[in-house]
Amino acid sequence: MDLAEPGRCRPDDPRPAARQRGRGGRARRRGALNPPHGSGGNPMGSGTSPAARRSRRFPSFTRDTARPEGGGRAAAGDAPAPARQWPLLAVLCTAGAGLLIVALDAFEEAFRIGTILIGVALVGGAVLRLVVPSVGMLAVRSRFTDLVTYGLLGVLIVMLALVAQPKPWLDVPIMEDAVHFTIR
C-alpha cells in the first residue's frame, strides 16, 4: 500500500493546494492565503488599496488602436488641418484630377492620360511613404505594406493604361501572343 510522504505533494497531502507549487501563485498575490502581518490583508502593504492596483491581463475590449509607423502629423500641430495632411491631399488631388480627365473625356487620349495620372498618384504615394518620415493619414498599415500596396497598384495601373487598346503606347509582344492564344 502506498503511504503519503510529507512534502511530496501526493493527493492526501494536508497542505493547501495553492501552496504546493511554491509561492502560492495568484492566490497568494491577491492575499487569499496567509496575508502578511500588519498589512490588513493587503499583500501590497497598507499604503495601497486592492482597487488601486492595475490588472496585468489584456482588456476584453481595446480602447484604442496603435498608430502605424510614420502616421503622425506631417506638419506642426498648430497648422490648419489640410496642411497637416498634405501627403494624403497630394495623392488624392492627383488621383481626382485623373478621374476628372477620364470622366470628362475632353480629348482623344483622355482615358489613357487620366488612368496614367491615377497610377502616378499611387506611385507618388509610395514614394512619399518611403521618403517623408511622417505622412499623416497616408500611413494606413506598416511602412513596408504601404510601399508594396501603393507601388504595386500604381505600376499595374500605369502598365494597363499603356497597353490598353486601341493603339497601345507600349507594345508587349508576349501580350499579343497570350491574347491570340486565349481567343482562338
Side-chain angles (χ1 to χ4, degrees), residues 158-183:
V158 168
M159 291 302 293
L160 286 173
L162 291 175
V163 298
Q165 297 291 334
K167 298 183 267 178
W169 288 0
L170 180 65
D171 189 29
V172 181
I174 194 168
M175 294 278 284
E176 287 182 24
D177 295 339
V179 170
H180 289 299
F181 180 74
T182 56
I183 292 179

Side-chain angles (χ1 to χ4, degrees), residues 109-124:
E109 296 290 331
F111 165 74
R112 193 178 316 272
I113 292 174
T115 309
I116 289 173
L117 200 55
I118 293 170
V120 166
L122 287 173
V123 171

Side-chain angles (χ1 to χ4, degrees), residues 37-146:
H37 297 292
S39 65
N42 186 359
M44 299 300 287
S46 60
T48 59
S49 68
R53 287 181 279 145
R54 293 184 55 132
S55 173
R56 294 182 57 168
R57 300 177 96 189
F58 287 110
S60 299
F61 299 101
T62 56
R63 292 184 211 110
D64 200 2
T65 55
R67 185 185 321 174
E69 53 183 309
R73 294 182 177 130
D78 58 345
R84 290 191 306 255
Q85 298 299 330
W86 70 266
L88 178 67
L89 288 175
V91 171
L92 287 178
C93 288
T94 308
L99 286 171
L100 190 63
I101 290 172
V102 170
L104 293 179
D105 198 22
F107 48 94
E108 185 178 339
E109 296 290 331
F111 165 74
R112 193 178 316 272
I113 292 174
T115 309
I116 289 173
L117 200 55
I118 293 170
V120 166
L122 287 173
V123 171
V127 169
L128 282 174
R129 189 72 171 99
L130 179 65
V131 174
V132 179
S134 183
V135 291
M137 290 185 351
L138 187 63
V140 178
R141 296 157 294 268
S142 69
R143 189 177 306 270
F144 175 77
T145 306
D146 283 343

